[in-house]
Amino acid sequence: MIDRLCRDHSLSCDEYELLLDSQTPRLAEYAASRALEARKSVYGNTVYVRGLIEISNICKNDCLYCGIRRGNQSCSRYRLSEQEILSCCDEGYKLGFRTFVMQGGEDPFFTDELLCTLIKKIKKAFPDCAVTLSIGERSRESYETLFAAGADRYLLRHETADSNLYRKLHPESMSFENRMQCLNNLKEIGYQTGCGFMVGAPYQTNRSLAADLKFVEQFRPDMCGIGPFIPHAATPFAGFAAGALQTTLFLLSLLRLMDPGVLLPATTALGTIDPTGREQGILAGANVVMPNLSPVSVRRKYELYDNKICTGEESAQCKSCLERRMESIGYKIVTDRGDRKPFSL
């Protein structure tokens, strides 16, 4: 089936489930080798770098897995000012970043008016850079307004394509249908759109993961961010085990074979569950890393899960560390907007 996925870039949901049920070290190794062939055919040995700016850990939602959920009374809240965000971009630009990812909880403070002003200032100061937003569910009109202001990309993890599992992971105030509608709206508006899902979430099955793979195959995002579930002590899921590194790596390989042109990050969560997790992610088919440009003073506060890495490093240290890590496995970080390269399926 791996060879057929390489050729057709598509399998049935049952076949994806069978692949996951049949996962062995040997099968995963073969999938990774084919995934590396696929990504090198499009991207060579380059790794794109994004500058992550965590603009706020204030969130109106109460997702059961998330450390910055509204109900976490022990979370020390913060919100970056416009000047702090622009300073992060200035520092990042000098370090060679050409994409800035503004990520945060669903903080009502960040209105369309405020965000549009911020986006326009970033695009004026750094016209050769891409602006990516990752700030959750908003109305179609809001997405259209932010796109018109100059936002290039939007990342919105769907978290799971299994509607029953979605309800187990989220409060009643959130709906699976709205999350999917938001993703469709973003793509229709013209954003370079990213989705993604957790691996090893509570109550998740291989059938659930197969649904994720089929959804990504059909949705054809520009970027797909996946990472292992890692519990946070101040959430209802504190007692659940973390997702498995090897399963996450296997899924990265399958996603690369499904779409050789997709942008796949080796996430911070991978580096959190294993010291060489990000390197292993690249060797499984990923081609994006996202060093943190947020002020060091707030990084520990943006704690989606326990023991998050890179919370004490200055931005230059974080980027240099990743450059050395990538070079150690034969890859090279490039100064580039890092747009998706075309690949005809």
Side-chain angles (χ1 to χ4, degrees):
M1 276 191 288
I2 295 293
D3 290 337
R4 185 148 56 84
L5 184 59
C6 292
R7 183 186 71 240
D8 298 340
H9 310 293
S10 174
L11 294 174
S12 70
C13 199
D14 287 342
E15 287 170 326
Y16 283 128
E17 184 179 11
L18 180 59
L19 265 180
L20 290 163
D21 287 341
S22 307
Q23 183 189 343
T24 62
R26 184 176 179 180
L27 180 63
E29 183 179 351
Y30 181 65
S33 69
R34 297 303 305 271
L36 284 182
E37 291 173 9
R39 63 145 288 169
K40 285 187 175 180
S41 72
V42 182
Y43 295 102
N45 69 338
T46 60
V47 176
Y48 291 148
V49 63
R50 319 292 203 203
L52 180 64
I53 306 170
E54 295 160 338
I55 63 174
S56 173
N57 72 348
I58 297 168
C59 190
K60 68 181 184 182
N61 295 327
D62 219 11
C63 303
L64 278 70
Y65 51 84
C66 184
I68 64 170
R69 66 196 302 264
R70 186 186 70 236
N72 181 5
Q73 300 300 314
S74 63
C75 181
S76 176
R77 305 291 177 175
Y78 77 90
R79 178 187 292 133
L80 297 185
S81 68
E82 177 186 283
Q83 188 53 52
E84 285 175 314
I85 295 169
L86 291 172
S87 294
C88 291
C89 293
D90 185 59
E91 180 183 13
Y93 192 85
K94 291 172 181 174
L95 289 170
F97 292 90
R98 295 298 179 265
T99 290
F100 302 119
V101 181
M102 289 189 283
Q103 180 179 29
E106 292 194 20
D107 183 350
F109 173 83
F110 285 100
T111 61
D112 289 350
E113 182 180 6
L114 190 155
L115 286 168
C116 285
T117 299
L118 181 58
I119 292 165
K120 288 175 182 177
K121 287 184 177 181
I122 293 173
K123 297 292 280 191
K124 182 178 180 180
F126 313 104
D128 56 334
C129 292
V131 171
T132 302
L133 300 176
S134 183
I135 48 177
E137 297 179 6
R138 301 174 79 93
S139 69
R140 185 186 179 101
E141 292 71 26
S142 174
Y143 290 147
E144 289 173 340
T145 299
L146 299 177
F147 185 73
D152 302 280
R153 305 174 183 146
Y154 205 105
L155 309 179
L156 180 66
R157 285 192 174 193
H158 63 279
E159 301 299 1
T160 175
D162 178 339
S163 59
N164 291 324
L165 178 58
Y166 186 92
R167 286 190 285 271
K168 294 179 180 178
L169 303 179
H170 298 87
E172 291 184 5
S173 59
M174 299 178 70
S175 79
F176 173 79
E177 291 74 20
N178 189 62
R179 179 62 63 105
M180 292 301 184
Q181 185 60 58
C182 285
L183 279 167
N184 286 323
N185 288 342
L186 289 164
K187 199 168 188 183
E188 288 171 6
I189 290 166
Y191 283 94
Q192 296 173 42
T193 306
C195 62
F197 55 93
M198 288 186 290
V199 181
Y203 312 114
Q204 188 181 64
T205 64
N206 281 345
R207 186 66 180 177
S208 303
L209 287 171
D212 285 312
L213 290 171
K214 194 63 185 176
F215 168 73
V216 174
E217 177 199 302
Q218 294 174 335
F219 184 67
R220 294 294 173 194
D222 297 291
M223 179 175 176
C224 183
I226 73 169
F229 163 75
I230 303 175
H232 189 287
T235 69
F237 291 161
F240 284 83
L245 172 69
Q246 295 306 320
T247 302
T248 309
L249 297 174
F250 187 50
L251 286 161
L252 281 171
S253 296
L254 298 183
L255 288 165
R256 175 61 64 198
L257 295 176
M258 180 192 299
D259 184 354
V262 73
L263 296 164
L264 279 181
T267 61
T268 301
L270 271 178
T272 298
I273 64 169
D274 187 282
T276 62
R278 286 173 295 181
E279 292 93 318
Q280 292 184 64
I282 296 295
L283 293 172
N287 68 323
V288 175
V289 290
M290 298 173 68
N292 203 327
L293 290 177
S294 306
V296 173
S297 60
V298 303
R299 288 192 199 173
R300 293 187 188 279
K301 298 178 182 180
Y302 198 83
E303 191 178 62
L304 306 181
Y305 47 81
D306 286 341
N307 304 313
K308 179 183 170 187
I309 59 171
C310 300
T311 57
E313 295 178 324
E314 296 290 344
S315 300
Q317 292 175 310
C318 195
K319 180 171 182 279
S320 296
C321 173
L322 272 175
E323 283 178 334
R324 291 193 301 272
R325 286 174 174 270
M326 295 302 104
E327 287 169 2
S328 74
I329 56 172
Y331 289 80
K332 177 179 65 174
I333 283 179
V334 291
T335 299
D336 195 300
R337 273 175 48 111
D339 290 306
R340 176 193 173 112
K341 290 189 176 181
F343 180 82
S344 179
L345 296 176

